[in-house]
Amino acid sequence: MKKFFPVYVRVPLIFFIVFGLMEYFIDSGDRPAFIKYPMVSVFLFVFLFILIAIEITLNAVNRVMYQLLSPEEKEKLAYEESLSLKESTWFKNLMHRLTQTEPIEKEGDLLMDHDYDGIKELDNNLPPWWVYLFYICIVFGVAYVFYFDVFGGDNQEMELKKEMAQAKIEVEEYLKTAPDLMDEKTVVLLTDAPSLAEGKEIFTTNCAACHRADGGGQIGPNLTDNKWILGGGIKEIFHTISNGGRDGKGMVSWKTNGMKPKEIQKVASYILSLQGSNPKDAKEAEGEVWVDESAPKKDATANNTTDSTAVKK
């Protein structure tokens, strides 16, 4: 084997196999393990040193042993080293174990009575690897039938349904803490002062041209009264700002014009904080009074003072 894998191939091959295994099994994040963990580099250096030392030692031992051989043994060794891979003794022994073939000299003992137009049949043994693989397939088939048909194991369709259900749960949990993936189904009203201040700044920059800085309405509708064109509430406001207003007469979709979901949430929350501010010379109310059907029912007086409102576009 040393003839087919010389030392300059054998040592780097073994070293890089060990190196690859360490990089695969050691969790080092986005950095190579030998850089993140100095001890890995030390181990690899020592391992390479030991590999080289072993090769040098074995080479020295082989030279000493060769000098101790008789001329006949040296001639025999030279002959074996001159053989090709398929002619080598170890290769022939390996192939015999895998195939259990008989030498061609014993072919006469294997002849059967079958004769087809002069073609005769030999009673050769099946290759052991084929026989063992056949037995393994039988065992696997029996286990497969019992697992799925007797004990009711999950088939591929059932596994897919379970994985999809679990993935849906994980996505929903992730959306709760991922502001850039927020939508009208997961958005919640913000009431803290810093968020409302940021919402006011965004509103003044992007929305005041149509709705006035105080929300009283100009080209766009009044945002401070209790009537709404496209429904109300934080979810409706978020949806309207994200996707735009009425076709042909409403505002553009801010989702596609550079406003992130978290920014839309802050603007929508700020708009809700303008309810009842009654700015001077506000535009006449448009739309209908919006009532949150999902909220607990209250008396008529209370409904007129709730914050169940939405952007009108």
Side-chain angles (χ1 to χ4, degrees):
M1 286 295 293
K2 291 184 178 181
K3 180 178 66 173
F4 304 107
F5 297 97
V7 63
Y8 57 82
V9 173
R10 191 164 55 248
V11 171
L13 180 63
I14 296 175
F15 175 79
F16 282 109
I17 288 176
V18 174
F19 175 82
L21 290 174
M22 295 190 70
E23 287 292 339
Y24 179 79
F25 287 106
I26 297 177
D27 185 7
S28 57
D30 57 347
R31 300 173 60 191
F34 74 94
I35 294 179
K36 187 172 184 179
Y37 303 110
M39 285 303 299
V40 174
S41 300
V42 173
F43 172 82
L44 291 173
F45 176 79
V46 173
F47 179 72
L48 180 61
F49 177 81
I50 293 175
L51 273 181
I52 297 174
I54 291 175
E55 289 293 341
I56 294 174
T57 303
L58 289 177
N59 187 50
V61 171
N62 289 335
R63 288 183 178 182
V64 172
M65 295 297 294
Y66 182 79
Q67 297 300 324
L68 297 177
L69 295 175
S70 63
E72 293 79 10
E73 291 173 332
K74 290 180 180 180
E75 184 177 351
K76 182 180 179 181
L77 180 61
Y79 171 74
E80 291 180 352
E81 290 181 349
S82 66
L83 296 175
S84 64
L85 176 63
K86 293 183 177 180
E87 294 174 337
S88 60
T89 303
W90 71 268
F91 182 81
K92 290 181 178 179
N93 292 335
L94 175 63
M95 294 305 297
H96 179 69
R97 290 182 179 180
L98 291 176
T99 61
Q100 291 293 322
T101 55
E102 295 292 340
I104 194 171
E105 294 82 8
K106 298 183 178 181
E107 188 175 280
D109 300 335
L110 302 175
L111 282 175
M112 302 181 67
D113 297 333
H114 304 161
D115 191 330
Y116 305 96
D117 295 331
I119 300 175
K120 297 183 179 182
E121 183 179 359
L122 297 177
D123 188 17
N124 284 314
N125 295 324
L126 289 172
W129 65 267
W130 191 95
V131 175
Y132 296 144
L133 183 61
F134 179 70
Y135 292 152
I136 292 174
C137 289
I138 294 175
V139 174
F140 175 82
V142 172
Y144 185 92
V145 170
F146 271 89
Y147 179 76
F148 288 104
D149 294 334
V150 178
F151 299 110
D154 292 342
N155 55 24
Q156 292 180 335
E157 182 179 1
M158 184 58 66
E159 288 179 354
L160 176 62
K161 290 181 179 179
K162 288 185 177 181
E163 291 175 0
M164 292 296 292
Q166 180 62 32
K168 183 177 180 180
I169 294 174
E170 293 176 358
V171 168
E172 290 176 351
E173 290 297 323
Y174 177 71
L175 289 175
K176 293 179 181 178
T177 57
D180 287 339
L181 295 178
M182 187 187 310
D183 58 18
E184 60 267 19
K185 296 180 180 179
T186 58
V187 66
V188 294
L189 178 66
L190 300 176
T191 57
D192 58 289
S195 296
L196 295 179
E198 291 182 39
K200 179 179 180 180
E201 182 178 352
I202 298 171
F203 180 88
T204 302
T205 303
N206 300 283
C207 310
C210 294
H211 297 282
R212 290 187 1 188
D214 57 10
Q218 191 168 319
I219 300 175
N222 182 358
L223 303 178
T224 64
D225 56 54
N226 63 347
K227 291 187 178 181
W228 304 92
I229 299 173
L230 297 178
I234 185 63
K235 298 182 185 300
E236 286 72 16
I237 295 177
F238 187 96
H239 176 81
T240 303
I241 298 175
S242 298
N243 298 284
R246 294 166 292 173
D247 294 337
K249 60 177 68 175
M251 69 177 181
V252 298
S253 167
W254 285 103
K255 179 176 63 176
T256 58
N257 280 270
M259 196 176 292
K260 297 180 179 179
K262 189 64 177 177
E263 294 174 332
I264 297 176
Q265 180 191 28
K266 292 176 181 179
V267 173
S269 298
Y270 171 71
I271 291 173
L272 288 175
S273 70
L274 296 176
Q275 297 307 295
S277 58
N278 298 320
K280 185 179 179 181
D281 299 326
K283 190 175 182 180
E284 185 179 352
E286 301 175 66
E288 300 177 353
V289 176
W290 181 82
V291 178
D292 188 357
E293 298 294 340
S294 62
K297 292 184 178 181
K298 301 178 181 179
D299 56 57
T301 304
N303 283 336
N304 291 330
T305 59
T306 60
D307 64 348
S308 54
T309 52
V311 165
K312 301 170 292 185
K313 300 290 178 287

